[in-house]
Each structure stands twice: as C-alpha cells, then as structure tokens.
Amino acid sequence: MDILRNIAYQPASGGKMCEQTLGRVVDSSRRWRVPAEGDHIHHTCPTSASEVSRIITDPSTGKRYCRGRVLGKGGFAKCYEMTDLTTNKIYAAKIIPHSRVSKPHQREKIDKEIELHRTLNHRHVVQFYHYFEDKENIYILLEYCSRRSMAHILKSRKVLTDPEVRYYLKQIVSGLKYLHEQEILHRDLKLGNFFINESMELKVGDFGLAARLEPLEQRRRTICGTPNYLSPEVLNKQGHGCESDIWALGCVMYTMLLGRPPFETTNLKETYRCIREARYSLPSSLMSSAKHLIASMLSRNPEDRPSLEEIIQHDFFSQGFTPDRLSSSCCHTAPDFHLSSPAKSFFKKAAAALFGGKKEKAKYLDNHNKLPKEDEEIYKLRQDLKKTSISHQPQNPRTDEDSKTVSKSSVLEKSDKQQMGDMIRMIVRGTLGSCSSSSECLEDSTMGSVADTVARVLRGCLENMPDSDCIPKEDISTSFHWVTKWVDYSNKYGFGYQLSDHTVGVLFNNGAHMSLLPDKKTVHYYAELGQCSIFPTTEAPEQFISQVTILKYFSHYMEENLMDGGDLPSVTDVCRQRLYLLQWLKSDKALLMLFNDGTFQVNFYHDHTKIIIANQSDEYLLTYINEDRMSTTFRLSTLLLSGGSNDLKNRMEYALNMLLQRCN
C-alpha cells in the first residue's frame, strides 16, 4: 500500500540532509532540502526493523489485534493488515518503530499527520480510526482498502477509458473539495495515494505532506510533493495554495488517460524545466473536452486554473457517460459498458437483459409468436412484405412463384393502399402488447410503462424492417415537441432542457420536475408523476422559491449560450398533455431522453445527429436530424415497408440498447 513514504538520505551542502520519497521530495527550512536541478538522487533502503509481534495489545484499552500480511513498506514504517480479535474488523495498520522517529523533528512530523488525519470524515477520504503506541512502535489504524491503489490498477491496465476516468475523478474531486473546505492542502496528489476499497470506491489517503492552508503572505515556501506532479509555483518557491492541488489533479487525469505523467523526462532537470514552462504534449487521440480540461488545470498561472466546482461542470463530465459503479474486473481489464456493441451481438445482450437465461427467452419468444386468429392476416402481410422487399431486384430473374407474390402485393398496394397502411400500423401497434392504442398505455405516465412501450415499438420496428441503402423520403407536417437544447448540472441540481415551443424544464435530482412555460410567467410543478401544481413565477409557494430560481437560471443559460439542435419548426399548442421529462441517461456516445407522452429522443455527441420517436394521432413518427442539422420525418409504417439505411438502423439499435440499459 502506497500510504507510506520510502525515504532515503544523502549528504547535502552545508552538512544538511536530503529526503527523497519514491519520487517525493520534501524541503524543510531546518533539516532538509529538495534535490537541486542536476542532483543525482540515491534511493537507499532503510535498515530492517525488528519483526513486529504477531499479537499486538493496545496498552490503553486492552484490545488485542492480529497482525497479517504486509501491505506496503516505507522509510519510517511498514503497513500491515491488522484484525481486531474482538470484532474481526480489518484495518490497514501503519506501524512505525520508535527507533525510526527518535529525533524531535521526526516525531513531530508523525504527530502532525495523526492530528490532521484524525479530524477528517468523508466518503472519499481514507478513514482514520485509532492510534496507540507501546514500547516498540506507534500504531495508526486506517481504513482497509482491499483493491490497493490507483497506481496498482494503472500498472496492470496501462491506460483507463474515459468513463472510468470520469468515475474516479468525480470521487477525487469530492474528497479534495472536502479537504479544501477544511482548509487542508494535500500537497501530494498522485495515483499511489488514491486507494480503492472492496466496492471500487476511491479514497484519498496519505496525509504525510498535508498542511493547513495559510494566508498568501504566510504560505509555506518549501518544495514538497512528487517531482512529476509539482506545480510551477511550488518549484519557484512561491508557496502552496489550492491551485497546486488542482495542478496535480491535471497531472493525475493526464496519467490515467495516457499511462504516463505529462512532464516525465529522462532527467530531473528537464522535468523541472518542462513544469516551469508548462510544456507537455496532448495526443490527438484524446477527446477535445479532455484536452481542454487538462490544459485548463495545467495552466502555468495558478489564477487561470479552474475551481473544483468548475472542473466537475466541464464538458468532459457533462457530455460523457459516467458509470454509477465499476466492476472489480476493472482492476485488470477494460470494462465493457454494453453501449457500442455491433448489431449481431446487440440483440443477444438485449435478450439476455430482458429474459435472463435461454429457457426464459425461448418461452417468451414461443408465447410472443403465438398469434390469435384475428392477427393471422397481419402475420401473412408481414411475410408478404418480407418477400416483396427481397424481390425488388430487377436484375435478378423471377420465378413464376415470385411473380405471383409480387403481383399480389402490387395489386394490394394499388387497390387498397389505405388498408395496407392500417395493417402495417397494427404491426407496430401490436408490439405494445394488450393496449389498443399508445395513448392508453401511456395514461399513467409512469417510467416503467412509458419505457416499456417505447422499447417494444422500437424493437418491433427493428425486427421487421427490411434492409435499404437510403432513408425513406416522406412529406409529413410534424406537430410534436422535441428537445432543442439541454444542460447537465446533475452534480448539483438536475438536468435542464428546452423544448421546441420554448418551454424550459428541469428534472431535479430528487425526482421532482418543474417547467417554465413559453410565456416565462407560469410554472408547472410535478412533485409526483401525473400530479401537477400550477402557479405564477411571481407567486411561487415559499418551498418552491429556490427551485424556481434554479429553473430561471437554466432558462437564461440556455437562451444565452446554447444553439438549437436542428431545423424542425417550432410548434405550439399541439400537445394533448403537458410534456415533461421522465428519464434521461448519458453514455459515452449519446444522451437519451424519455418523456411522459412517449416521446423518445437520442442525441449523438460525435456528429450531433439525433433520433426522435413521437406518437401523433396514434401513428408513430421517426425524425432523423443529420450532422448538417437537417431533419427528415417519416412514419414507422413507412420504415417497415421500405426499410432504412444501415446508418439509421445502427442508431436505432444503439438507442434501444440505451433504453434497455435504463429499464434494467
């Protein structure tokens, strides 16, 4: 465990000594100095201390502990697993022989670390539990993190994926924000000091170099930390501030994504020069938002670096997928978030998520395929459509049987086109289960019913549409609402969006929803799904004032800073019921939004394309907005007849996969 420091000593000018810690350097005005540029740093191992007893007793309480395996070694101490024999609770025990801290300044350093760490209590900070000492050693009992440190994970993995980096960075920022609020600087943020527990939660640890934040004029001018993570102002002895921890965080993010620190070179002198000049490379393989965030944290001027709050609001987080949790397998192998699988494996994963094992899947499909007598004509029509789509290849000779099939279909199209459209709509509607219409299924506007309905419609279309080289062309006048702008502020308040009629909505983190109507004077508040309270913005009930303020903030921000996402015309007064957001989900490629009336929208980040499925007069419409922000709207029944391009089909499959992930 990297909680401990490996300290070596070498003579320095004037008879002083230098302390070097696994790449960490410490400078004290009295006894220690940092290696000068060009100095050769020797790493020497401390003389081995006498073996610690297997059973250890706390003299002050009488509690007995059993020492286990070694977790890490340092210059002053070793860290062991240690089990409380009364409770069987396991700790990480830092055991420091008195012989190692016999000099006053050495003992003062340990006492200061204990005094600072024992006051801390946060989910993402290694918990301090207890300390005691006997005649031989000092014992510090800390939270046990069974997955070791981020340094161990990166050593095995080499690099991490963007979603993993977001996952870990959010937790680091949370812990660091707590420390800074306590006016504590960590001063040695690096992968080896981020520990991972059994649940894959990150904990900031090792407070051996931590210090209280001092006023600018009284800040420490000492140089301490790890050479690759030192900030320019620390190297220039301008003192430590919160900005120095932000710089180190930028180095951490860079290292996670690329597998090496940004300023790492073959010699210390060149590393220091690169740091002072803030000179490093950003490979083109990095996302633009990742580059921008790293560059802002590694600004040479401390005042130009973002705050922790600004970091977590950055596009790198707001426009990318962050998992709620990670599997322990991520310690050794890259995760598969099941959100970008090819079409062939997609349905296997979706079926597994929905039905479980093979037996359940077979049973479902068997029941699903047993059509009642009145639906036999629909089944026949579906088969005819498949045959027709296959036979639309003039260059191939047709058999008599093929000609009959095509002729029959052609006659059907010409003689009863309306009936055929109705039948196809029934195929799509039939995927809704027992409901006679989509509106009937959506009456209660619960997340489960709406998500299930949309998933069935989308799946039914994908399973039955033929292949095609192009997107269908239809001239349809649209009259539905869709999301033209959005902003994710869920780390603090919630998710905000603007509809095509300029209604602004916010789905708050507590599950409540609030809408500001286009007149900017009326608010709709949904404390529970389906139950709406309406009031003017100027007469908001006292308990809603703060949420109305946030709603207005979202509205102003989107109006001033964001651009509409497509060329669909704005519509007003077309909704049979007021639209509000039920669910949203972000992957590393797209944003999903699901509304109470069944409107389902997916925005793809990389090319800004969008898919919108909406129900209008009991007819499902699909709108596709391409990278040029030009929209095409067509009926799903048309898609069932003529098929869609692979590009569109792949996006529909991805959208369904996201929806299934959300439902499950």
Side-chain angles (χ1 to χ4, degrees), residues 566-622:
D567 69 336
L568 280 170
S570 297
V571 291
T572 57
D573 300 323
V574 298
C575 287
R576 291 171 295 182
Q577 54 179 320
R578 181 57 59 181
L579 204 63
Y580 58 90
L581 186 68
L582 290 180
Q583 290 180 298
W584 63 279
L585 173 69
K586 288 164 67 177
S587 75
D588 57 347
K589 292 186 177 181
L591 164 72
L592 172 154
M593 292 168 284
L594 180 66
F595 289 85
N596 61 307
D597 72 338
T599 298
F600 173 63
Q601 181 170 334
V602 178
N603 293 12
F604 294 89
Y605 308 137
H606 68 287
D607 58 5
H608 304 291
T609 57
K610 301 168 184 66
I611 285 178
I612 306 161
I613 295 178
N615 182 272
Q616 181 179 315
S617 302
D618 291 329
E619 173 71 85
Y620 275 95
L621 305 180
L622 188 147

Side-chain angles (χ1 to χ4, degrees), residues 14 30 56 93 102 116 125 315 342 412 509 660 662-663:
R30 292 190 303 161
I56 300 164
S102 57
L116 188 150
V125 172
D315 285 353
L412 179 60
N509 291 337
L660 293 177
R662 191 55 168 170
C663 293

Side-chain angles (χ1 to χ4, degrees), residues 381 385 412-413 416-424 641:
L381 177 59
L385 287 174
L412 179 60
E413 283 189 51
D416 202 353
K417 190 174 181 180
Q418 182 62 46
Q419 182 181 356
M420 184 179 188
D422 292 341
M423 296 292 278
I424 296 171
L641 264 177

Side-chain angles (χ1 to χ4, degrees), residues 143-155:
E143 180 178 3
Y144 176 65
C145 294
S146 62
R147 307 290 181 193
R148 307 183 76 181
S149 74
M150 285 299 306
H152 293 98
I153 292 176
L154 202 71
K155 183 177 180 180

Side-chain angles (χ1 to χ4, degrees), residues 279-312:
R279 175 162 47 88
Y280 59 96
S281 62
L282 282 170
S284 58
S285 59
L286 288 180
M287 291 174 53
S288 58
S289 59
K291 291 181 184 178
H292 183 272
L293 180 54
I294 290 170
S296 65
M297 289 192 281
L298 296 183
S299 296
R300 185 161 55 175
N301 185 351
E303 295 177 358
D304 294 336
R305 294 170 205 157
S307 66
L308 292 171
E309 191 70 34
E310 290 169 335
I311 289 171
I312 216 68

